[in-house]
Amino acid sequence: MRPTLFPALALILMAAPALAQQPPCAPPLTAHMRIELYFGLGVHGRRPVSDSEWARFVTHELTHRFPGLTVLDARGAWRKGQHEMREHSKLVVVVAEDGPATRNAIAEVTEAYKERFHQSSVGIVTQAVCAAF
């Protein structure tokens, strides 16, 4: 199995029980998935991801994979051992139909970011929701 397929498979397996429990949506709403992606902008050994680098990433990796998205500026904080770290971040919120294409897009975009900006992780949160557009 290719290493890039494993995150997509893991997402599918983790979300299956939650999606099976979602109550039916009242019209005009239909079942969707809310996706939150947390992108840290700090890059070890170089300056942080610039506004132009981020804009290119959004254009080339995000907008062609998802039908719509919202990008918010954020501040992230976490601990590694006793050392607390903080960095500027981007929070991307997507509401899309759930299915293999959306789950593959999540895996592809997070892997692309990690590779391009030498990140160890991208935060991913998914939730079954009812939505209409």
Side-chain angles (χ1 to χ4, degrees), residues 55-119:
R56 281 191 300 277
F57 182 79
V58 170
T59 298
H60 296 292
E61 302 293 342
L62 287 168
T63 56
H64 80 275
R65 287 191 169 94
F66 299 109
L69 56 93
T70 300
V71 177
L72 304 165
D73 290 322
R75 292 274 300 161
W78 71 97
R79 271 193 320 217
K80 185 174 185 180
Q82 294 299 321
H83 183 67
E84 184 177 312
M85 296 178 241
R86 297 176 187 260
E87 69 178 318
H88 291 279
S89 305
K90 297 288 186 180
L91 168 57
V92 176
V93 180
V94 177
V95 177
E97 290 185 19
D98 190 6
T102 298
R103 292 177 181 277
N104 286 335
I106 294 167
E108 291 168 357
V109 77
T110 57
E111 288 303 312
Y113 191 81
K114 291 189 305 187
E115 184 177 313
R116 183 172 301 166
F117 297 110
H118 310 288
Q119 300 291 306

Side-chain angles (χ1 to χ4, degrees), residues 6-89:
F6 181 74
L9 179 60
L11 284 170
I12 291 167
L13 294 174
M14 288 186 304
L19 294 175
Q21 297 171 3
Q22 180 173 345
C25 298
L29 303 174
T30 59
H32 284 74
M33 179 172 36
R34 175 188 165 101
I35 306 150
E36 296 176 1
L37 302 170
Y38 296 84
F39 297 94
L41 300 178
V43 180
H44 183 70
R46 60 158 265 199
R47 61 180 171 65
V49 176
S50 69
D51 289 343
S52 61
E53 288 173 317
W54 174 254
R56 281 191 300 277
F57 182 79
V58 170
T59 298
H60 296 292
E61 302 293 342
L62 287 168
T63 56
H64 80 275
R65 287 191 169 94
F66 299 109
L69 56 93
T70 300
V71 177
L72 304 165
D73 290 322
R75 292 274 300 161
W78 71 97
R79 271 193 320 217
K80 185 174 185 180
Q82 294 299 321
H83 183 67
E84 184 177 312
M85 296 178 241
R86 297 176 187 260
E87 69 178 318
H88 291 279
S89 305

